[in-house]
Amino acid sequence: MRHQTTLWSGAALAAVCANPAFAQEAVSLDEKVNQTFAAFTGPFVSLIFAPFPGTSFPWIVMWLVVAATVFTLYFGFVQFRFFKHAIQLVKGDYSDPHDAGEVSHFQALATALSGTVGLGNIAGVAVAVGIGGPGATFWMILAGLLGMASKFTECTLGVKYRNEYPDGTVSGGPMYYISKGFGELGLPGGKFLAVLFSVFCILGALGGGNMFQANQAHAQITGIVGEYPGWITGIIFAGVVFAVIVGGIKSIANVTEKVVPFMGLLYVGAALIILLINYDKIGWAFGQIFAGAFTGLGVAGGMVGALIQGFKRAAFSNEAGVGSAAIAHSAVRTKEPITEGFVSLLEPLIDTVVICTMTALVITISQQMVIDPATGNYVLNEAGTGIATVNDTSGVALTSAAFAAGLSWFPYVLAVAVILFAFSTMISWSYYGLKAWTYLFGEGQTSELVFKVIFCVFIVIGAAASLGPVIDFSDAAIFSMAVVNIFALYFLMKLVKAELHSYASRLQSGEIRKFSD
């Protein structure tokens, strides 16, 4: 996912407070909000991202990876057995235009991808590789492949238990399949868990899926054109986003099915150009990835450090298990819930295995990370917390420098990519937040319009302010969605298995037929 805990504003505030010259001055309104909000939400944020004792491995990452492993084994490696069929479904080979739903399989996939493909693929991978070395890429790929089974599970349930309305619209997602599924199985607490998930989803949508995106997009734009007030960026973004989301999921899907392939091809295309220019180093780069995965190549934390960073990046990037994608996939046109499960398992493959790996390869090949020629190991930075880099770059700056080493004009392409990533993430998360909102406060045009206006107001706030703890809290809210969602999936996965067995037998017998070739 594009979110990573935002340390920048907190670090800046700490630096200001530590300087006696500044300590006597009145803090700005932003900083007052930071301090007040952090005091109330700090314990919750710390709990969600707390590491296991004696390690730097957040328990929430293990929660996601273990669930992905369980679903992979329980469904018999469904992500590999039905991969070809998933491609056929996305192409529309089995699509009946008369089925209930609002968008095609491809549009649902593009909408969900637009919510996950983003700044985490650019900056987050650089952070993972910069700390854990190239070996982090191996564990990132493994976690991405396992995460395909989590997406399959939650998105199948999303369609199975969605609400279908007379006007053709639908509402679905974890809040619906938790409440209905628990009721069907006679389990208590379904309604409470659904409400809790919805609250976390709204908070995550307004913060990490909105304010953080606007804030980072503004930062990238000012890096190219120079400083100007953030509210200007916010108002422009808010106007464009509102124009899209006011039309509902069909409008969002029509935009994402064009934006997502374009931004993906733009970014992956630039990466491929770099790899082709340096084709003689590709074998070496893969060697660094495999060697680093099991030896660490001298990086901080060694092999364990590489594993932690790889798993963390995959979990934070593709959102498998968070439940957000199930909301987008619930709108698909189909009468077979399992088909959207198959389509959704492609998401972690595209987001983590392809795009994140491309970023990691370019960073490795560019040799922006300093290697000791005597030992072949990476050189640690002065703090000993990561790998020393040329010009001490990290995060999005490291990715930009890596690409610029082969393509001098890439920083401008990166600026466009960041803007597109931010925009697509905002419109997708507006839909996620909207469905959580209407679950709590009821369906209807007035209810929907209220949320859409609130969402766009938060875009302006996000672009204009530097509210670090607010974003940290919203990130924690998003991963709290995963706590609720995965807990429920363990009880509901047997329902998915029944759907899988039924569909597979009918597909094999020829009862399920293609509508087009």
Side-chain angles (χ1 to χ4, degrees):
M1 184 173 73
R2 74 229 67 72
H3 314 99
Q4 47 265 350
T5 306
T6 45
L7 302 175
W8 303 294
S9 54
L13 180 59
V16 168
C17 293
N19 188 323
F22 286 105
Q24 303 300 318
E25 296 181 11
V27 293
S28 69
L29 178 60
D30 280 1
E31 290 163 344
K32 285 181 180 177
V33 173
N34 274 342
Q35 292 171 326
T36 305
F37 197 83
F40 284 102
T41 63
F44 172 69
V45 175
S46 298
L47 173 65
I48 295 299
F49 294 111
F52 287 110
T55 74
S56 58
F57 203 159
W59 71 269
I60 189 66
V61 173
M62 183 60 76
W63 178 253
L64 291 162
V65 172
V66 168
T69 306
V70 169
F71 298 140
T72 295
L73 296 174
Y74 184 75
F75 294 112
F77 296 89
V78 64
Q79 60 265 61
F80 305 115
R81 291 194 293 128
F82 287 90
F83 180 79
K84 179 182 177 182
H85 188 58
I87 299 295
Q88 293 172 327
L89 288 166
V90 171
K91 287 167 56 185
D93 292 353
Y94 291 84
S95 296
D96 184 346
H98 301 294
D99 284 342
E102 298 183 74
V103 297
S104 68
H105 284 298
F106 177 75
Q107 288 177 321
L109 177 65
T111 300
L113 270 173
S114 71
T116 59
V117 176
L119 298 179
N121 302 81
I122 300 173
V125 174
V127 171
V129 175
I131 297 173
T137 311
F138 176 87
W139 301 109
M140 184 174 65
I141 292 171
L142 177 61
L145 292 172
L146 293 172
M148 293 166 73
S150 298
K151 279 285 174 83
F152 162 79
T153 309
E154 60 194 8
C155 292
T156 297
L157 289 167
V159 178
K160 180 176 175 63
Y161 291 105
R162 67 186 179 182
N163 283 357
E164 297 176 5
Y165 301 107
D167 63 356
T169 61
V170 300
S171 289
M175 48 280 191
Y176 291 93
Y177 64 65
I178 292 173
S179 58
K180 290 184 179 180
F182 271 47
E184 187 175 306
L185 295 173
L187 298 172
K191 188 72 174 178
F192 169 76
L193 291 173
V195 169
L196 191 61
F197 178 90
S198 298
V199 171
F200 287 141
C201 185
I202 291 170
L203 293 172
L206 294 177
N210 180 341
M211 295 171 69
F212 176 69
Q213 306 304 315
N215 187 279
Q216 293 303 291
H218 176 69
Q220 193 68 25
I221 293 170
T222 55
I224 298 294
V225 304
E227 291 292 333
Y228 67 92
W231 60 265
I232 297 176
T233 299
I235 288 176
I236 294 172
F237 261 103
V240 176
V241 168
F242 186 78
V244 173
I245 68 175
V246 74
I249 185 61
K250 290 183 179 179
S251 175
I252 293 171
N254 285 335
V255 172
T256 57
E257 74 171 343
K258 299 175 181 66
V259 172
V260 171
F262 173 73
M263 72 184 189
L265 288 173
L266 178 73
Y267 189 73
V268 173
L272 285 173
I273 292 173
I274 297 285
L275 296 178
L276 287 173
I277 292 173
N278 299 279
Y279 70 92
D280 56 322
K281 297 178 183 174
I282 293 177
W284 172 82
F286 275 109
Q288 293 284 292
I289 288 171
F290 285 105
F294 298 102
T295 67
L297 292 174
V299 302
M303 170 189 164
V304 175
L307 182 149
I308 290 172
Q309 291 302 321
F311 277 0
K312 185 188 294 185
R313 175 43 38 211
F316 286 12
S317 178
N318 60 48
E319 296 176 20
V322 169
S324 52
I327 301 173
H329 285 283
S330 297
V332 73
R333 282 191 297 272
T334 185
K335 61 177 176 289
E336 298 283 355
I338 206 79
T339 59
E340 200 55 24
F342 294 140
V343 169
S344 69
L345 61 78
L346 296 174
E347 282 174 47
L349 180 78
I350 297 169
D351 175 276
T352 305
V353 179
V354 175
I355 298 180
C356 287
T357 301
M358 284 287 191
T359 303
L361 278 173
V362 170
I363 292 171
T364 303
I365 283 175
S366 69
Q367 296 184 324
Q368 291 293 306
M369 298 184 293
V370 180
I371 297 176
D372 183 348
T375 63
N377 287 337
Y378 287 93
V379 177
L380 295 182
N381 57 26
E382 290 183 7
T385 55
I387 299 172
T389 58
V390 177
N391 298 323
D392 293 323
T393 55
S394 63
V396 69
L398 175 56
T399 304
S400 183
F403 275 90
L407 302 171
S408 59
W409 43 264
F410 182 77
Y412 298 98
V413 174
L414 186 64
V416 174
V418 167
I419 293 168
L420 288 176
F421 285 162
F423 169 68
S424 66
T425 297
M426 282 190 281
I427 61 175
S428 294
W429 272 92
S430 73
Y431 182 70
Y432 301 160
L434 173 65
K435 289 304 173 182
W437 176 274
T438 55
Y439 180 81
L440 293 177
F441 301 108
E443 304 279 349
Q445 290 185 345
T446 303
S447 177
E448 291 186 8
L449 185 61
V450 168
F451 177 80
K452 289 170 183 176
V453 170
I454 292 172
F455 190 86
C456 289
V457 169
F458 272 81
I459 294 176
V460 181
I461 295 172
S466 301
L467 305 177
V470 176
I471 307 302
D472 291 348
F473 175 75
S474 66
D475 274 354
I478 287 171
F479 286 99
S480 297
M481 291 163 58
V483 177
V484 178
N485 184 49
I486 288 174
F487 175 79
L489 290 181
Y490 285 134
F491 292 97
L492 302 175
M493 62 185 184
K494 61 184 178 183
L495 300 172
V496 178
K497 197 164 204 175
E499 291 279 343
L500 178 60
H501 285 162
S502 170
Y503 185 86
S505 62
R506 286 181 286 131
L507 183 65
Q508 190 172 14
S509 68
E511 183 181 339
I512 304 237
R513 293 174 296 149
K514 288 186 177 182
F515 280 84
S516 62
D517 294 317

